[in-house]
Amino acid sequence: MSVGQRSASLGGVSVRNRRLALLWLRRQALRLANGHGLPDAADRFRLPTADVRPVRFHGSGAPERLRLWATDAAHQDHAIRALEAGLPVLFTVLDPAVGLSLTLAGWQETTRR
């Protein structure tokens, strides 16, 4: 039982393949880390999908961890392998100053016949 905890979705999308899913997750991580809610100028790919609502962090730890996850090749290799295996990609950062826990998640939808 958790006292005083709330959960809310900041947004989400459905894309046609796992590479676009990972690209979207990386883009959202950088947008959230930068805190301005705008796409990175270096973002060469335009995704026809909505961005998540921005979050205001009160410490520097969470934004730095988001940047590291989005730009580190080993983290991205692990994420794409998880998606290829049909597993979800989950990455959580904490901002203990305000008790905020933010999770980026991606998974492959299974089609039912």
Side-chain angles (χ1 to χ4, degrees):
M1 179 176 181
S2 300
V3 177
Q5 291 186 348
R6 295 182 306 171
S7 176
S9 173
L10 298 176
V13 297
S14 183
V15 292
R16 68 181 179 267
N17 63 51
R18 60 186 157 255
R19 294 216 177 265
L20 288 177
L22 185 57
L23 179 63
W24 187 82
L25 288 170
R26 289 180 63 209
R27 176 179 170 182
Q28 300 316 306
L30 291 172
R31 284 183 61 256
L32 291 166
N34 293 338
H36 51 61
L38 301 173
D40 186 1
D43 189 1
R44 298 186 325 239
F45 301 100
R46 291 285 176 212
L47 296 174
T49 56
D51 290 329
V52 298
R53 288 178 283 158
V55 171
R56 182 173 178 224
F57 293 107
H58 294 269
S60 62
E64 289 306 315
R65 289 193 60 222
L66 284 166
R67 277 188 203 94
L68 177 64
W69 181 84
T71 59
D72 181 74
H75 288 299
Q76 295 306 299
D77 287 345
H78 182 267
I80 198 68
R81 281 194 309 271
L83 289 171
E84 287 169 349
L87 300 170
V89 172
L90 298 171
F91 180 70
T92 301
V93 295
L94 303 172
D95 186 351
V98 291
L100 174 69
S101 172
L102 178 109
T103 300
L104 290 173
W107 57 90
Q108 182 172 336
E109 278 192 70
T110 57
T111 55
R112 296 183 185 170
R113 295 179 187 201

